[in-house]
Amino acid sequence: MLMAVATSLAMLRPDELPLTPLLLAAGLALVSVLDDREHLPVALRLAVHVATAICVVLSWMQAFPAPLFGDSIYILAGMVSTFVVIMAICWMINLFNFMDGANGLAGGMAFLGFGGYMIAAALSPAQGLPIAALSGAVSGAALGFLYFNFPTASVFMGDAGSVPLGFLAAAIGLQGSLMGLWPWWFGPLAFSPFIVDATATLLKRIARQQKIWVAHREHYYQRLILSGWSHRKTVISYYFLMLGSTGSALAAQNSHLLYPIVSAWVITYASLLVYLEWRFYKHKKDNKEETPGAK
């Protein structure tokens, strides 16, 4: 995927490309290749993620000082907001990796989410060609990857694919907002199926005082599979969510539709989380009743 993106972007002039996110994504890919092969320590991986987020934010501070920090009298607010942005980027890097656990799932989110970025940037009255080109290249590469990954996989994404994709999802979303291509909420809404699943799972594990860095099978897409759904059915169901969230993000740029759309998604996700919890524990209870003595 990364080679496909690089090849397609080679047709553009360097001054037409958002070079900083591209170079940082390439750096993350190299570290992630090592992690796929050698299993790097968690602390080292997180340090690289934080450093990458800080670097991209510093590049924005030089190009967009006013939107990022505001007036000088609001330095504290600027520092807090910058910290939140850095943590959000780090979380997006990791959650995309966490959600890469079923054939076609992460590839489908990349295809639709970055496709939404491409459409929004292309339709924006601002100068969105660099962002549209990068987003379109990533979306097209993800579609090509899906041919080999879903429904039967002959190739897998690994950290080398999912980590740079998560970073680019956050970086492009925020940079597009700073450039006036779309509102700040566009990226989070477009990628909300991944964000909601991973964040709800994280908060649940924190509440249970479980180690959040240890591998587990508690994501909601995993629970669907554990409760009897096939991988294919689960992924296709998520595709409908992804298509709806990306389409909603594009439609919600009409300010009159924003609040109804966001309200509908809040209700939808809350209902789905409750239903999936109920379904998982009902399936677990039914299995225990069918196998007496099982713990």
Side-chain angles (χ1 to χ4, degrees):
M1 286 189 296
L2 297 176
M3 290 300 295
V5 171
T7 302
S8 60
L9 293 179
M11 295 183 292
L12 300 177
R13 298 195 311 267
D15 60 336
E16 294 178 332
L17 296 173
L19 288 177
T20 299
L22 281 171
L23 293 174
L24 291 172
L28 282 173
L30 290 175
V31 173
S32 299
V33 167
L34 292 176
D35 184 39
D36 282 331
R37 295 176 62 86
E38 305 295 339
H39 300 293
L40 300 177
V42 173
L44 177 59
R45 299 201 307 267
L46 288 178
V48 172
H49 298 168
V50 172
T52 302
I54 291 173
C55 287
V56 76
V57 168
L58 288 175
S59 73
W60 292 335
M61 288 168 56
Q62 295 176 356
F64 309 102
L68 196 60
F69 275 111
D71 232 358
S72 57
I73 61 174
Y74 299 111
I75 293 178
L76 179 60
M79 293 174 62
V80 172
S81 63
T82 302
F83 175 78
V84 171
V85 168
I86 291 171
M87 291 298 101
I89 294 172
C90 291
W91 178 227
M92 195 68 187
I93 290 172
N94 285 278
L95 76 83
F96 218 97
N97 185 26
F98 297 157
M99 295 296 290
D100 179 29
N103 294 344
L105 190 62
M109 184 75 264
F111 167 60
L112 292 170
F114 286 99
Y117 282 165
M118 177 191 67
I119 294 171
L123 296 178
S124 173
Q127 295 297 320
L129 175 61
I131 298 297
L134 175 55
S135 301
V138 177
S139 180
L143 180 60
F145 170 80
L146 280 174
Y147 180 80
F148 301 98
N149 183 249
F150 183 78
T152 302
S154 59
V155 65
F156 299 93
M157 190 176 291
D159 288 8
S162 62
V163 167
L165 284 178
F167 167 72
L168 288 173
I172 293 175
L174 289 166
Q175 186 163 346
S177 175
L178 293 173
M179 294 173 65
L181 302 179
W182 48 66
W184 67 268
W185 46 259
F186 183 84
L189 180 54
F191 285 88
S192 58
F194 270 26
I195 295 172
V196 171
D197 189 321
T199 303
T201 302
L202 175 75
L203 294 176
K204 189 168 57 177
R205 288 179 63 79
I206 290 174
R208 294 173 179 170
Q209 298 183 337
Q210 296 173 318
K211 296 178 179 179
I212 60 176
W213 58 88
V214 175
H216 59 85
R217 301 183 69 187
E218 294 187 14
H219 286 287
Y220 287 92
Y221 75 90
Q222 292 171 322
R223 290 197 157 190
L224 263 178
I225 295 169
L226 291 173
S227 63
W229 278 27
S230 67
H231 280 73
R232 181 182 299 191
K233 184 177 179 180
T234 299
V235 171
I236 290 175
S237 298
Y238 266 75
Y239 284 170
F240 281 105
L241 276 179
M242 296 168 189
L243 186 60
S245 64
T246 302
S248 296
L250 291 168
Q253 292 189 80
N254 180 333
S255 59
H256 297 294
L257 298 176
L258 174 60
Y259 291 109
I261 286 175
V262 171
S263 298
W265 277 112
V266 169
I267 294 171
T268 298
Y269 282 129
S271 301
L272 284 173
L273 293 179
V274 171
Y275 168 73
L276 292 175
E277 286 285 353
W278 171 83
R279 178 187 173 87
F280 175 75
Y281 284 107
K282 181 178 182 299
H283 181 78
K284 191 174 180 181
K285 180 181 177 181
D286 291 344
N287 282 346
K288 284 184 178 180
E289 290 176 351
E290 292 175 3
T291 55
K295 295 183 179 180

